[in-house]
Amino acid sequence: MSIAQNLNEVRALIEGACARAGRSVEDVTLIAVSKTKPVSAVEEALKAGQQVFGENRVQELREKYVALEGAPVSWHLIGTLQSNKVKYLNEMERLALIHSVDNEKLAMEIERQGEKCGRIFDVLLEVNMAHEDTKAGLSPEEAVDFLKRIAPLLHLNVKGLMTIAPFTEDAESNRRYFAGLHELMETMNAKKILPQEMHILSMGMSGDYTVAIEEGATHVRVGTAIFGERQ
Ligand SMILES: *Cc1c(COP(=O)(O)O)cnc(C)c1O
């Protein structure tokens, strides 16, 4: 199947999940995760009307960003971000969102770079809902305190939460983690830690994005189902 056909299929499944959940399709953003795939794959998706893409490494994001400088692409950084790499993001106007803030050192560096270049970065806090040792992210228990600590920072705007659910063949088994992330965001909003409410829930990947949408995902990060298996 071509990338265009895959995209159509994913969009149809997103529509179905939205219908089941009584949600509007406009409220769900599909992020096409192009990591490890060539620029030509991104171009193929662009031709099929996809304009939002996700990369998990700064170096690869930079390469594709430059190669597609003139194209109407919105980029999302979804992978672990090392603080010494934040400076490379300063000039990227088309970087829409950093999904993976999970430690104070990183938050402070985003603040520092934002101040330096006069930019406010939109970010999400990454939460490790299943407490997996192998995964990055704040534990759900420490997330509220973490938000309180970084709330005073002026150059980073926390728009919501992100999670990477466990890899499984059974998407249903991840439903509780998606529901849990949704609940955590509502708890945080109720505590009024930030002056504005958070609205973004980045959750769901190729294996489980329809379940994530049923549980309130506003952004799904889909790679394999669009671009095929990675090496
Ligand atoms: C690779 C990646 C995805 C996409 O995974 P697929 O299973 O290929 O859809 C989503 N989120 C993050 C953070 C990733 O690194």
Side-chain angles (χ1 to χ4, degrees):
M1 286 237 288
S2 71
I3 288 172
Q5 285 171 317
N6 289 341
L7 271 168
N8 281 339
E9 190 158 299
V10 170
R11 287 173 187 143
L13 289 174
I14 289 175
E15 272 177 38
C18 284
R20 284 195 297 282
R23 302 183 58 201
S24 161
V25 278
E26 280 87 60
D27 294 338
V28 178
T29 300
L30 170 62
I31 302 173
V33 178
S34 47
K35 66 185 184 199
T36 78
K37 299 294 177 182
V39 170
S40 60
V42 178
E43 285 171 327
E44 211 177 316
L46 262 169
K47 277 208 197 83
Q50 177 66 28
Q51 300 192 323
V52 183
F53 294 88
E55 285 288 334
N56 72 333
R57 293 177 56 237
V58 172
Q59 180 58 32
E60 194 175 348
L61 170 62
R62 285 176 84 197
E63 285 163 21
K64 287 186 183 140
Y65 189 98
V66 171
L68 294 161
E69 191 92 64
V73 176
S74 166
W75 291 104
H76 288 241
L77 184 62
I78 60 175
T80 301
L81 173 59
Q82 256 127 34
S83 29
N84 61 358
K85 302 272 173 67
V86 176
K87 56 178 181 284
Y88 299 119
L89 306 177
N90 289 353
E91 304 300 316
M92 290 188 189
E93 281 172 34
R94 290 187 186 280
L95 174 68
L97 191 60
I98 300 169
H99 288 232
S100 45
V101 173
D102 68 352
N103 67 83
E104 244 166 311
K105 186 177 175 213
L106 173 60
M108 294 304 296
E109 180 59 12
I110 294 172
E111 169 69 10
R112 203 170 75 88
Q113 295 296 335
E115 189 169 12
K116 203 169 99 184
C117 66
R119 174 170 183 175
I120 297 171
F121 286 99
D122 286 340
V123 307
L124 306 179
L125 304 189
E126 180 173 352
V127 186
N128 182 355
M129 292 304 291
H131 300 98
E132 289 178 283
D133 292 339
T134 50
K135 286 212 173 98
L138 301 153
S139 76
E141 294 75 24
E142 67 183 332
V144 170
D145 270 346
F146 180 80
L147 180 62
K148 282 182 187 159
R149 288 200 300 276
I150 67 163
L153 302 181
L154 297 173
H155 297 85
L156 134 162
N157 189 5
V158 184
K159 308 276 278 187
L161 305 179
M162 178 271 219
T163 197
I164 303 175
F167 181 78
T168 169
E169 299 286 308
D170 172 26
E172 275 302 323
S173 66
N174 281 338
R175 184 180 292 278
R176 61 194 157 132
Y177 301 123
F178 300 141
L181 194 74
H182 194 165
E183 204 179 298
L184 180 58
M185 187 168 79
E186 283 178 353
T187 302
M188 287 169 156
N189 283 339
K191 288 183 190 290
K192 299 196 186 303
I193 303 166
L194 300 173
Q196 74 288 347
E197 284 205 344
M198 299 185 287
H199 292 290
I200 296 184
L201 286 171
S202 168
M203 55 191 195
M205 306 179 16
S206 289
D208 54 20
Y209 63 93
T210 57
V211 174
I213 289 169
E214 287 167 12
E215 295 302 331
T218 62
H219 290 61
V220 290
R221 310 176 309 267
V222 180
T224 310
I226 295 171
F227 295 108
E229 294 289 342
R230 289 177 294 272
Q231 290 305 325

